[in-house]
């Protein structure tokens, strides 16, 4: 990465951190979870017994990729596939293999904010699907989505899986989905993953696993601020505290300050925390299907088909651009 880019990102990180910690209530943006350590911790979360989301969605992709493809009109002809937040493609690979059997001329555009992830996909995926056209795009979702449209005029199937949409509040998600819609054309498709409302204790446990990996994931944000912004958070003085509201479907994670304390961010700037003051670090919304239909209508899509895991805990919904 260019030095200018690194400095710019640090400045943005610094500004966002100070702004968030000087707000009331205090907050930090969950997008900053994902440094190299955060990426590794998230991988471990996905392997936790309590974190059901990954297995549910994996089951859908493993067992229903044929059905997904047959719900897409003319999939065999002229589609490219774009994945927003591609990660390791371990779920989408099942769909990609089936699409490749139909039409081996399509291009797969994995989009990820991590350059390392894109390099890995470009290296590893051809081992699983030889001769797959891959064009990795490293950057923000919307910018890269626009770029994929400029590179290829074929119709698009966009994938936004993992219930990543749940990490935005309802207002942000509709605004984001409208932007996605504007980057696509009429009759393009979006396959979008939603974690569904279920027994509240199952949801809460997923964000409070017994091994404490999610706790580490949350606290790593303070460690990252210490490392990158030269702050002096004492990690032991904070408690990981997730709560789930079954009415709103909002699972929120907090870091609670155990005592009154002052924390320096760099040499001169500081923030004060009261005893038991909270820092909100993440929202993970759980949806009813009715809610997802409303989101589709508000953002310019029409639901075409719903794909559930056997427990009906998770849904990948195929939306068409209208
Ligand atoms: C990436 N995202 C969908 C995860 C979630 O479930 O909200 C991030 C996560 N946070 C804690 N555990 C997993």
């Amino acid at each position: 990465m260019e030095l200018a880019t690194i400095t710019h990102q640090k400045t943005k990180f610094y500004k966002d951190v100070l702004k968030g910690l000087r707000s009331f209530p205090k907050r930090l943006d969950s997008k900053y979870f994902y440094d190299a350590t955060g990426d590794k911790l998230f991988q471990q979360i996905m392997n936790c017994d309590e974190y059901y989301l990954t297995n549910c969605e994996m089951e859908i992709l493993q067992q229903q990729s044929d059905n997904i493809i047959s719900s897409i009109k003319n999939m065999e002809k002229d589609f490219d596939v774009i994945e927003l937040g591609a990660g390791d493609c371990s779920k989408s690979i099942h769909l990609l293999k089936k699409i490749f059997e139909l039409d081996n001329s399509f291009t797969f555009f994995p989009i990820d904010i991590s350059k390392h992830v894109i390099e890995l996909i470009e290296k590893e995926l051809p081992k699983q699907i030889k001769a797959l056209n891959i064009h990795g795009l490293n950057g923000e979702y919307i910018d890269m989505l626009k770029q994929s449209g400029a590179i290829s005029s074929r119709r698009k199937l966009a994938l936004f899986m993992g219930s990543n949409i749940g990490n935005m509040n309802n207002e942000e998600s509709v605004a984001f989905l409208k932007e996605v819609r504007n980057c696509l054309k009429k009759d393009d498709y979006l396959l979008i993953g939603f974690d569904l409302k279920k027994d509240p204790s199952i949801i809460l446990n997923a964000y409070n696993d017994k091994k404490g990996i999610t706790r580490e994931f949350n606290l790593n944000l303070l460690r990252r601020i210490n490392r990158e912004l030269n702050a002096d958070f004492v990690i032991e003085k904070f408690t990981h505290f997730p709560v789930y509201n079954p009415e709103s479907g909002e699972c929120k994670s907090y870091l609670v300050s155990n005592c009154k304390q002052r924390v320096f961010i760099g040499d001169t700037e500081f923030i004060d925390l009261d005893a038991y003051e909270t820092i909100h670090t993440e929202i993970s919304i759980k949806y009813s299907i009715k809610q997802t239909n409303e989101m589709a209508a508000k953002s310019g899509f029409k639901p075409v088909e719903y794909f559930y895991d056997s427990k009906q805990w998770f849904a990948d919904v195929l939306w068409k651009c209208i």
Side-chain angles (χ1 to χ4, degrees):
M1 206 184 293
E2 300 269 320
L3 186 62
T5 317
I6 295 172
T7 316
H8 170 73
Q9 281 181 356
K10 274 225 167 130
T11 312
K12 170 111 177 71
F13 181 37
Y14 177 71
K15 280 186 189 155
D16 286 352
V17 164
L18 268 190
K19 188 170 175 221
L21 294 179
R22 287 187 170 151
S23 308
F24 185 79
K26 292 185 172 22
R27 58 185 154 74
L28 289 169
D29 191 328
S30 62
K31 76 176 178 201
Y32 292 120
F33 279 145
Y34 302 93
D35 65 346
T37 311
D39 282 346
K40 274 190 208 131
L41 287 165
F42 184 53
Q43 286 295 330
Q44 291 176 31
I45 288 175
M46 290 195 286
N47 290 322
C48 280
D49 293 340
E50 295 94 336
Y51 195 75
Y52 57 85
L53 287 79
T54 312
N55 288 343
C56 288
E57 195 173 39
M58 185 65 95
E59 183 198 309
I60 298 172
L61 272 293
Q62 277 173 343
Q63 298 185 4
Q64 300 183 65
S65 280
D66 278 329
N67 300 343
I68 295 172
I69 293 168
S70 47
S71 302
I72 299 175
K73 229 173 150 217
N74 296 328
M75 181 81 228
E76 71 284 2
K77 277 198 209 138
D78 60 351
F79 273 90
D80 287 326
V81 181
I82 307 170
E83 182 164 9
L84 308 178
D88 64 359
C89 296
S90 59
K91 288 176 281 186
S92 52
I93 184 81
H94 300 287
L95 193 63
L96 294 172
K97 278 184 180 166
K98 298 282 180 184
I99 298 172
F100 193 78
E101 285 169 17
L102 270 183
D103 165 23
N104 62 13
S105 74
F106 80 95
T107 301
F108 176 49
F109 293 97
I111 298 180
D112 208 285
I113 193 71
S114 158
K115 196 175 178 203
H116 172 69
V117 162
I118 294 296
E119 283 168 359
L120 217 62
I121 293 172
E122 288 183 332
K123 185 169 154 234
E124 295 299 322
L125 223 53
K127 293 182 189 162
Q128 301 198 53
I129 312 177
K130 283 196 195 78
L132 173 68
N133 300 316
I134 307 174
H135 189 130
L137 295 170
N138 167 221
E140 299 274 345
Y141 292 154
I142 299 296
D143 295 343
M144 295 303 111
L145 203 50
K146 281 182 191 151
Q147 205 166 306
S148 72
I151 296 168
S152 158
S153 60
R154 286 168 69 127
R155 295 173 66 204
K156 301 277 183 279
L157 165 63
L159 312 175
F160 189 43
M161 303 197 301
S163 204
N164 287 328
I165 192 73
N167 295 136
M168 300 175 205
N169 68 34
N170 290 325
E171 221 173 272
E172 287 165 350
S173 57
V174 169
F176 172 74
L177 289 167
K178 277 184 183 166
E179 284 196 85
V180 171
R181 168 64 192 86
N182 287 339
C183 296
L184 299 171
K185 294 190 193 126
K186 186 172 176 293
D187 296 335
D188 285 352
Y189 289 86
L190 174 68
L191 183 71
I192 177 164
F194 293 102
D195 192 17
L196 300 177
K197 286 187 170 175
K198 60 185 68 61
D199 179 338
S201 60
I202 293 172
I203 292 174
L204 193 54
N205 289 342
Y207 293 86
N208 209 7
D209 63 279
K210 286 218 172 73
K211 285 191 193 146
I213 297 166
T214 313
R215 176 178 171 275
E216 283 309 303
F217 181 66
N218 202 7
L219 288 168
N220 179 57
L221 191 44
L222 302 186
R223 292 201 177 95
R224 179 178 183 184
I225 297 171
N226 281 352
R227 278 192 300 267
E228 293 185 24
L229 303 179
N230 189 27
D232 65 354
F233 279 103
V234 178
I235 306 304
E236 295 68 36
K237 290 186 179 173
F238 290 86
T239 302
H240 164 66
F241 198 84
V243 290
Y244 176 62
N245 177 341
E247 186 185 19
S248 65
E250 291 173 341
C251 188
K252 287 183 169 181
S253 289
Y254 295 94
L255 290 167
V256 182
S257 171
N258 300 338
C259 55
K260 187 174 167 60
Q261 52 181 317
R262 172 166 289 184
V263 178
F264 274 85
I265 318 283
D267 292 337
T268 52
E269 302 296 323
F270 61 84
I271 52 134
D272 288 319
L273 292 113
D274 279 335
Y276 307 112
E277 189 172 350
T278 52
I279 304 175
H280 174 218
T281 52
E282 186 178 45
I283 187 165
S284 298
I285 301 189
K286 311 303 164 191
Y287 301 90
S288 66
I289 287 294
K290 186 167 171 264
Q291 248 177 304
T292 71
N293 290 342
E294 285 166 6
M295 283 167 80
K298 280 185 195 160
S299 47
F301 295 93
K302 182 179 120 199
V304 175
E305 198 64 71
Y306 306 84
F307 303 93
Y308 300 94
D309 64 295
S310 49
K311 296 198 210 92
Q312 305 229 337
W313 283 2
F314 197 97
D316 278 310
V317 188
L318 187 65
W319 288 357
K320 192 173 183 172
C321 295
I322 48 174

PDB file of all heavy atoms in Angstrom, residues 36 85 92 152 193 196 314:
ATOM      1  N   ALA A  36      -5.417  -7.357  10.983  1.00  0.00           N
ATOM      2  CA  ALA A  36      -4.974  -8.754  10.776  1.00  0.00           C
ATOM      3  C   ALA A  36      -5.421  -9.633  11.940  1.00  0.00           C
ATOM      4  O   ALA A  36      -5.907 -10.761  11.730  1.00  0.00           O
ATOM      5  CB  ALA A  36      -3.461  -8.791  10.597  1.00  0.00           C
ATOM      6  N   GLY A  85     -17.521  -8.320  -0.126  1.00  0.00           N
ATOM      7  CA  GLY A  85     -16.951  -8.880   1.103  1.00  0.00           C
ATOM      8  C   GLY A  85     -16.726 -10.365   0.934  1.00  0.00           C
ATOM      9  O   GLY A  85     -17.287 -11.191   1.657  1.00  0.00           O
ATOM     10  N   SER A  92     -19.439 -19.147  -1.223  1.00  0.00           N
ATOM     11  CA  SER A  92     -19.795 -18.845  -2.620  1.00  0.00           C
ATOM     12  C   SER A  92     -19.189 -19.838  -3.607  1.00  0.00           C
ATOM     13  O   SER A  92     -19.719 -20.006  -4.709  1.00  0.00           O
ATOM     14  CB  SER A  92     -19.366 -17.421  -2.977  1.00  0.00           C
ATOM     15  OG  SER A  92     -18.011 -17.222  -2.661  1.00  0.00           O
ATOM     16  N   SER A 152     -17.091  -4.614 -17.287  1.00  0.00           N
ATOM     17  CA  SER A 152     -17.884  -5.569 -18.067  1.00  0.00           C
ATOM     18  C   SER A 152     -19.345  -5.138 -18.107  1.00  0.00           C
ATOM     19  O   SER A 152     -19.921  -4.764 -17.085  1.00  0.00           O
ATOM     20  CB  SER A 152     -17.780  -6.964 -17.423  1.00  0.00           C
ATOM     21  OG  SER A 152     -18.878  -7.750 -17.805  1.00  0.00           O
ATOM     22  N   GLY A 193     -27.848 -12.337   2.269  1.00  0.00           N
ATOM     23  CA  GLY A 193     -28.013 -13.209   3.440  1.00  0.00           C
ATOM     24  C   GLY A 193     -28.561 -12.445   4.634  1.00  0.00           C
ATOM     25  O   GLY A 193     -28.075 -11.352   4.950  1.00  0.00           O
ATOM     26  N   LEU A 196     -32.007 -14.603  10.769  1.00  0.00           N
ATOM     27  CA  LEU A 196     -33.420 -14.412  11.112  1.00  0.00           C
ATOM     28  C   LEU A 196     -33.647 -14.410  12.620  1.00  0.00           C
ATOM     29  O   LEU A 196     -32.858 -14.979  13.388  1.00  0.00           O
ATOM     30  CB  LEU A 196     -34.250 -15.528  10.462  1.00  0.00           C
ATOM     31  CG  LEU A 196     -34.162 -15.592   8.931  1.00  0.00           C
ATOM     32  CD1 LEU A 196     -34.973 -16.777   8.398  1.00  0.00           C
ATOM     33  CD2 LEU A 196     -34.649 -14.288   8.292  1.00  0.00           C
ATOM     34  N   PHE A 314     -31.669 -18.940   9.095  1.00  0.00           N
ATOM     35  CA  PHE A 314     -30.955 -18.019   8.210  1.00  0.00           C
ATOM     36  C   PHE A 314     -31.623 -18.083   6.835  1.00  0.00           C
ATOM     37  O   PHE A 314     -32.151 -19.126   6.452  1.00  0.00           O
ATOM     38  CB  PHE A 314     -29.487 -18.474   8.110  1.00  0.00           C
ATOM     39  CG  PHE A 314     -28.549 -17.428   7.576  1.00  0.00           C
ATOM     40  CD1 PHE A 314     -27.796 -16.643   8.450  1.00  0.00           C
ATOM     41  CD2 PHE A 314     -28.419 -17.205   6.214  1.00  0.00           C
ATOM     42  CE1 PHE A 314     -26.928 -15.662   7.965  1.00  0.00           C
ATOM     43  CE2 PHE A 314     -27.559 -16.231   5.725  1.00  0.00           C
ATOM     44  CZ  PHE A 314     -26.806 -15.460   6.604  1.00  0.00           C
TER      45      PHE A 314
END
